[in-house]
Amino acid sequence: MATLTRADDHIEIPDRLPVIALRDLVFFPYMVLPLLVGRVRSVAALERARENGDLVVLLTQRDPSTDDPDLGDLFDVGTVARVVQVSTLPDGTARVVLEGLGRVRVSDLDTTGPALEGRLALFRPDETGAPGTTDGRAREVVELYGRYARLHERVPDELPSLLSAESDRARLAHLVAGHLYLAGSEKQELLETPDPDQQLELLREILLRELEVLRIEEKLDRQLLRGSDARGVDFGPGFEPIHREPVPEREEWADTEDAIRGADLPPAARERAEKELARLRKLNPVAPEAAVIRTYLDWIAALPWSGRSADNLDVRHASEILDAEHFGLSEVKERILDHVAVLSLVGEMRGPILCLVGPPGVGKTSLGRSIGRSLGREFVRVSLGGVRDEAEIRGHRRTYVGALPGRVIQGMRRSGTTNPVFLLDEVDKLARDFHGDPGAALLEVLDPEQNRTFTDHYLELEYDLSDVLFIATANTLQGIPEPLRDRMEIIRLPGYLDTEKREIARRFLWPRQAARHGLDPAEVRLEDRAVDHVIGRYTREAGVRELDRRLGRVARKVARAVADGGPGERAVDMDDLKELLGPPTHQPPDRDPTSQRVGIANGLAWTAAGGEVLDVEVAVVPGAGVLRLTGTLGDVMKESAQAAVTYARSRSERLGLAPHFHEKIDVHIHIPEGATPKDGPSAGITIALALISALTDAPTRADVALTGEITLRGRVLGVGGVKEKAVAALRGGIRTVVLPEANASDLELLPDEVRDQVAFTLVRSMDEVMDAALAATPSRARPASAGLEPSVPHA
């Protein structure tokens, strides 16, 4: 914590504050200005400031075109400011009024969070200049600024009179510097000048130069008004040398003009660029509008309008790259190879929109990068997680300060070609609020019939996206809006089998982790038994992220042992894992096929992290017909439980139960791991089986798992996520899965290893479910009323 002293005011400044990056503005202490804040990190920094004393640090970017600046992209000296007022515009941009307090130096910048946050120290511990009468240099600066204000049409008339009454040299220097129309580099130099006297001297030199420029411009204006002949303007005697030197204007816009003329623009874009360039030539280079137009023209010139990379249409080459970088995922690879084969025959095909859906860690993002490499195309990734503003997709209007094109156009500029592989990551994490619906904005991007005329709000020009190969990734389909899902070809990645994880660890994960930690994979070997033990006892996931982290920890421990003088060549076996990783975090599943359980059934569930095996437990106790459901169940699962109870009551005679058994008992249905929310239409037959087992004392088979929905009449309905559930069953030691007959076609899509090791029983009714999953028939079991009698105390 540091103290900033200003006159009689003492302000406590924390050691860390949120940071807002300014594109082309240098903010000085004592200034009070409104700003429009639209970038995501800047809005997050503003919200952080509102939560922590309304203080924020303003740093100027070295390059205004940088979209996501880091510490090296920002000047390290800036201004700490107080948030005076905040309002939100209809498009979501924040209008904030800020008051500059003092100069700070930022030594470290944290870019990992949603907002930039910097470690800072006061540039000058005391920002107060010497009070009292201003000296001669200060009076000269005030006089020069008064003449500058009279010649400059944008300076308020009342400002010079206010400055003349200022007796604080530091405050005077900051106010004059802040109200000069200069290039950003010069203003930053003024901000970084430590002593007020040095600032005043530098201001005096700048004002003398600017006054000379303004006098020349004024003289030019007078000469231009006098009259001209047929050939042009007659500037009169003595003014010829000035007229011969129009070079500064040409040098100011030379780069922009050359970029526009050298760009391969379509007719509409060239016409717009020439029009904006003509406007730019008429403006003063320091005018704010000139910076806006120049940035706009830079975007037009930098975009790829016609250049494309040559596709590598060798199917064998694509297959080799996909197999070398990814193990398994045969369905996805076949789909990509089909696309390459068609391209090799027709020469051109409008880019399809593939959506890779699967749990985290199965390689969706890296697969997109491999697809780009196999086709010989540039790869662009845009993360859509948490995007809630439509302008993030379509761009901002140029009327807003700091406006930029949307992420799609920004990605096209980074690619440099018109036909990249464009990955839209986490498309199911799009948010939706009053800022607009970014999912609706993506409809035009992902529709092959519309995206050839995609229009960005910033460019206001049609841009052809039809040659782009769009690939979207998602964890679940539920988070993707239905109209957007309709434009995609869904490819599911169910997760890896244990054998696939072993191969991935051996081929990719361990060599990479060993090299990353300074080990030679050929000398430090990881035995197969050790990999199997890590997979089975230290991880429980559909992907391989946790497996990669565990192998990284093993590599760190081995690297430390080598650094301490241990042998550089060794083999890591299963017996070494307890010392390297600690006790196992997961116990092996208890699936003894000889065990008989009453009131317990194994269910299969689909989650965003892959398939899971869930136990459903039912207890029957004396009571008055109350049904209790626990385990953080959603509405769908609660309805499934109620349907299962109704079915059991309707089949009481078939099950050997008393006609009114439900009036004398309470039924408690529980699904463990209550902290985990569970919902979905696939647990009906599992709940019904566990309930019938508890009511009739008929044990269930421990090696059988079930998935399917039940109706009131006992029919079994089909469910989704069969591939994920089947993989989870094999991983959990299940050898028999009861599946609705409606899902028979899904069995053809299962991996061979699953079909070879798991037997699938197809059922149409609840009677068939009981025959397949109960170890004893209910007709031979005791009825519920008899089963409860021993628990009633006798006198």
PDB file of all heavy atoms in Angstrom, residues 220 240-253:
ATOM      1  N   LEU A 220      -1.491  29.478 -45.070  1.00  0.00           N
ATOM      2  CA  LEU A 220      -1.958  28.723 -46.233  1.00  0.00           C
ATOM      3  C   LEU A 220      -3.441  28.955 -46.477  1.00  0.00           C
ATOM      4  O   LEU A 220      -3.882  29.149 -47.618  1.00  0.00           O
ATOM      5  CB  LEU A 220      -1.698  27.235 -46.033  1.00  0.00           C
ATOM      6  CG  LEU A 220      -0.300  26.703 -46.372  1.00  0.00           C
ATOM      7  CD1 LEU A 220      -0.170  25.266 -45.899  1.00  0.00           C
ATOM      8  CD2 LEU A 220      -0.057  26.788 -47.866  1.00  0.00           C
ATOM      9  N   GLU A 240       6.226  30.693 -52.383  1.00  0.00           N
ATOM     10  CA  GLU A 240       6.533  29.579 -53.282  1.00  0.00           C
ATOM     11  C   GLU A 240       7.236  28.434 -52.575  1.00  0.00           C
ATOM     12  O   GLU A 240       6.871  27.281 -52.764  1.00  0.00           O
ATOM     13  CB  GLU A 240       7.383  30.108 -54.438  1.00  0.00           C
ATOM     14  CG  GLU A 240       7.655  29.078 -55.517  1.00  0.00           C
ATOM     15  CD  GLU A 240       6.464  28.876 -56.425  1.00  0.00           C
ATOM     16  OE1 GLU A 240       5.555  29.740 -56.408  1.00  0.00           O
ATOM     17  OE2 GLU A 240       6.439  27.858 -57.122  1.00  0.00           O
ATOM     18  N   PRO A 241       8.250  28.659 -51.727  1.00  0.00           N
ATOM     19  CA  PRO A 241       8.936  27.528 -51.107  1.00  0.00           C
ATOM     20  C   PRO A 241       8.007  26.672 -50.253  1.00  0.00           C
ATOM     21  O   PRO A 241       8.142  25.468 -50.198  1.00  0.00           O
ATOM     22  CB  PRO A 241      10.031  28.177 -50.267  1.00  0.00           C
ATOM     23  CG  PRO A 241      10.250  29.507 -50.901  1.00  0.00           C
ATOM     24  CD  PRO A 241       8.905  29.939 -51.405  1.00  0.00           C
ATOM     25  N   ILE A 242       7.048  27.307 -49.573  1.00  0.00           N
ATOM     26  CA  ILE A 242       6.150  26.533 -48.717  1.00  0.00           C
ATOM     27  C   ILE A 242       5.269  25.648 -49.566  1.00  0.00           C
ATOM     28  O   ILE A 242       5.008  24.497 -49.252  1.00  0.00           O
ATOM     29  CB  ILE A 242       5.297  27.487 -47.851  1.00  0.00           C
ATOM     30  CG1 ILE A 242       6.213  28.304 -46.940  1.00  0.00           C
ATOM     31  CG2 ILE A 242       4.273  26.721 -47.048  1.00  0.00           C
ATOM     32  CD1 ILE A 242       5.478  29.319 -46.105  1.00  0.00           C
ATOM     33  N   HIS A 243       4.827  26.179 -50.741  1.00  0.00           N
ATOM     34  CA  HIS A 243       3.943  25.392 -51.592  1.00  0.00           C
ATOM     35  C   HIS A 243       4.667  24.209 -52.232  1.00  0.00           C
ATOM     36  O   HIS A 243       4.053  23.211 -52.561  1.00  0.00           O
ATOM     37  CB  HIS A 243       3.355  26.310 -52.671  1.00  0.00           C
ATOM     38  CG  HIS A 243       2.461  25.562 -53.624  1.00  0.00           C
ATOM     39  ND1 HIS A 243       1.303  24.942 -53.228  1.00  0.00           N
ATOM     40  CD2 HIS A 243       2.578  25.338 -54.959  1.00  0.00           C
ATOM     41  CE1 HIS A 243       0.711  24.377 -54.265  1.00  0.00           C
ATOM     42  NE2 HIS A 243       1.472  24.597 -55.334  1.00  0.00           N
ATOM     43  N   ARG A 244       5.965  24.308 -52.383  1.00  0.00           N
ATOM     44  CA  ARG A 244       6.708  23.225 -53.015  1.00  0.00           C
ATOM     45  C   ARG A 244       6.914  22.033 -52.079  1.00  0.00           C
ATOM     46  O   ARG A 244       7.453  21.037 -52.497  1.00  0.00           O
ATOM     47  CB  ARG A 244       8.100  23.723 -53.438  1.00  0.00           C
ATOM     48  CG  ARG A 244       8.089  24.607 -54.644  1.00  0.00           C
ATOM     49  CD  ARG A 244       9.476  24.620 -55.261  1.00  0.00           C
ATOM     50  NE  ARG A 244       9.645  25.800 -56.088  1.00  0.00           N
ATOM     51  CZ  ARG A 244      10.448  26.803 -55.786  1.00  0.00           C
ATOM     52  NH1 ARG A 244      11.164  26.760 -54.685  1.00  0.00           N
ATOM     53  NH2 ARG A 244      10.540  27.857 -56.586  1.00  0.00           N
ATOM     54  N   GLU A 245       6.543  22.160 -50.837  1.00  0.00           N
ATOM     55  CA  GLU A 245       6.879  21.110 -49.863  1.00  0.00           C
ATOM     56  C   GLU A 245       5.608  20.452 -49.300  1.00  0.00           C
ATOM     57  O   GLU A 245       5.329  20.546 -48.120  1.00  0.00           O
ATOM     58  CB  GLU A 245       7.685  21.717 -48.692  1.00  0.00           C
ATOM     59  CG  GLU A 245       8.958  22.371 -49.112  1.00  0.00           C
ATOM     60  CD  GLU A 245      10.046  21.378 -49.371  1.00  0.00           C
ATOM     61  OE1 GLU A 245       9.886  20.222 -48.969  1.00  0.00           O
ATOM     62  OE2 GLU A 245      11.050  21.741 -49.981  1.00  0.00           O
ATOM     63  N   PRO A 246       4.782  19.807 -50.114  1.00  0.00           N
ATOM     64  CA  PRO A 246       3.653  19.068 -49.552  1.00  0.00           C
ATOM     65  C   PRO A 246       4.054  17.667 -49.112  1.00  0.00           C
ATOM     66  O   PRO A 246       3.235  16.779 -49.047  1.00  0.00           O
ATOM     67  CB  PRO A 246       2.662  19.016 -50.703  1.00  0.00           C
ATOM     68  CG  PRO A 246       3.527  18.971 -51.909  1.00  0.00           C
ATOM     69  CD  PRO A 246       4.781  19.707 -51.583  1.00  0.00           C
ATOM     70  N   VAL A 247       5.350  17.438 -48.868  1.00  0.00           N
ATOM     71  CA  VAL A 247       5.861  16.100 -48.591  1.00  0.00           C
ATOM     72  C   VAL A 247       5.366  15.546 -47.259  1.00  0.00           C
ATOM     73  O   VAL A 247       5.044  14.370 -47.175  1.00  0.00           O
ATOM     74  CB  VAL A 247       7.398  16.112 -48.651  1.00  0.00           C
ATOM     75  CG1 VAL A 247       7.958  14.745 -48.336  1.00  0.00           C
ATOM     76  CG2 VAL A 247       7.847  16.586 -50.018  1.00  0.00           C
ATOM     77  N   PRO A 248       5.253  16.350 -46.173  1.00  0.00           N
ATOM     78  CA  PRO A 248       4.851  15.751 -44.903  1.00  0.00           C
ATOM     79  C   PRO A 248       3.529  15.007 -44.985  1.00  0.00           C
ATOM     80  O   PRO A 248       3.389  13.924 -44.424  1.00  0.00           O
ATOM     81  CB  PRO A 248       4.773  16.946 -43.961  1.00  0.00           C
ATOM     82  CG  PRO A 248       5.730  17.926 -44.545  1.00  0.00           C
ATOM     83  CD  PRO A 248       5.647  17.748 -46.008  1.00  0.00           C
ATOM     84  N   GLU A 249       2.524  15.572 -45.713  1.00  0.00           N
ATOM     85  CA  GLU A 249       1.239  14.881 -45.813  1.00  0.00           C
ATOM     86  C   GLU A 249       1.400  13.551 -46.538  1.00  0.00           C
ATOM     87  O   GLU A 249       0.852  12.540 -46.157  1.00  0.00           O
ATOM     88  CB  GLU A 249       0.232  15.773 -46.541  1.00  0.00           C
ATOM     89  CG  GLU A 249      -1.145  15.118 -46.655  1.00  0.00           C
ATOM     90  CD  GLU A 249      -2.124  15.980 -47.407  1.00  0.00           C
ATOM     91  OE1 GLU A 249      -1.793  17.131 -47.681  1.00  0.00           O
ATOM     92  OE2 GLU A 249      -3.206  15.457 -47.725  1.00  0.00           O
ATOM     93  N   ARG A 250       2.196  13.581 -47.640  1.00  0.00           N
ATOM     94  CA  ARG A 250       2.424  12.345 -48.380  1.00  0.00           C
ATOM     95  C   ARG A 250       3.130  11.317 -47.503  1.00  0.00           C
ATOM     96  O   ARG A 250       2.766  10.142 -47.481  1.00  0.00           O
ATOM     97  CB  ARG A 250       3.257  12.663 -49.626  1.00  0.00           C
ATOM     98  CG  ARG A 250       3.870  11.452 -50.318  1.00  0.00           C
ATOM     99  CD  ARG A 250       2.827  10.497 -50.824  1.00  0.00           C
ATOM    100  NE  ARG A 250       3.428   9.247 -51.268  1.00  0.00           N
ATOM    101  CZ  ARG A 250       2.757   8.145 -51.498  1.00  0.00           C
ATOM    102  NH1 ARG A 250       1.459   8.123 -51.293  1.00  0.00           N
ATOM    103  NH2 ARG A 250       3.367   7.065 -51.929  1.00  0.00           N
ATOM    104  N   GLU A 251       4.101  11.746 -46.724  1.00  0.00           N
ATOM    105  CA  GLU A 251       4.807  10.811 -45.867  1.00  0.00           C
ATOM    106  C   GLU A 251       3.903  10.286 -44.755  1.00  0.00           C
ATOM    107  O   GLU A 251       4.013   9.134 -44.343  1.00  0.00           O
ATOM    108  CB  GLU A 251       6.037  11.483 -45.274  1.00  0.00           C
ATOM    109  CG  GLU A 251       7.128  11.793 -46.310  1.00  0.00           C
ATOM    110  CD  GLU A 251       8.299  12.506 -45.677  1.00  0.00           C
ATOM    111  OE1 GLU A 251       8.172  12.899 -44.495  1.00  0.00           O
ATOM    112  OE2 GLU A 251       9.335  12.674 -46.348  1.00  0.00           O
ATOM    113  N   GLU A 252       2.968  11.109 -44.297  1.00  0.00           N
ATOM    114  CA  GLU A 252       2.089  10.692 -43.203  1.00  0.00           C
ATOM    115  C   GLU A 252       1.197   9.530 -43.616  1.00  0.00           C
ATOM    116  O   GLU A 252       0.985   8.591 -42.872  1.00  0.00           O
ATOM    117  CB  GLU A 252       1.228  11.886 -42.764  1.00  0.00           C
ATOM    118  CG  GLU A 252       0.367  11.599 -41.537  1.00  0.00           C
ATOM    119  CD  GLU A 252       1.198  11.420 -40.294  1.00  0.00           C
ATOM    120  OE1 GLU A 252       2.232  12.101 -40.165  1.00  0.00           O
ATOM    121  OE2 GLU A 252       0.822  10.588 -39.461  1.00  0.00           O
ATOM    122  N   TRP A 253       0.649   9.593 -44.832  1.00  0.00           N
ATOM    123  CA  TRP A 253      -0.292   8.561 -45.268  1.00  0.00           C
ATOM    124  C   TRP A 253       0.320   7.621 -46.310  1.00  0.00           C
ATOM    125  O   TRP A 253      -0.409   6.845 -46.935  1.00  0.00           O
ATOM    126  CB  TRP A 253      -1.545   9.204 -45.861  1.00  0.00           C
ATOM    127  CG  TRP A 253      -2.157  10.268 -45.008  1.00  0.00           C
ATOM    128  CD1 TRP A 253      -2.427  11.533 -45.361  1.00  0.00           C
ATOM    129  CD2 TRP A 253      -2.572  10.139 -43.643  1.00  0.00           C
ATOM    130  NE1 TRP A 253      -2.992  12.225 -44.328  1.00  0.00           N
ATOM    131  CE2 TRP A 253      -3.090  11.383 -43.245  1.00  0.00           C
ATOM    132  CE3 TRP A 253      -2.556   9.096 -42.720  1.00  0.00           C
ATOM    133  CZ2 TRP A 253      -3.589  11.626 -41.978  1.00  0.00           C
ATOM    134  CZ3 TRP A 253      -3.047   9.332 -41.445  1.00  0.00           C
ATOM    135  CH2 TRP A 253      -3.553  10.579 -41.094  1.00  0.00           C
TER     136      TRP A 253
END
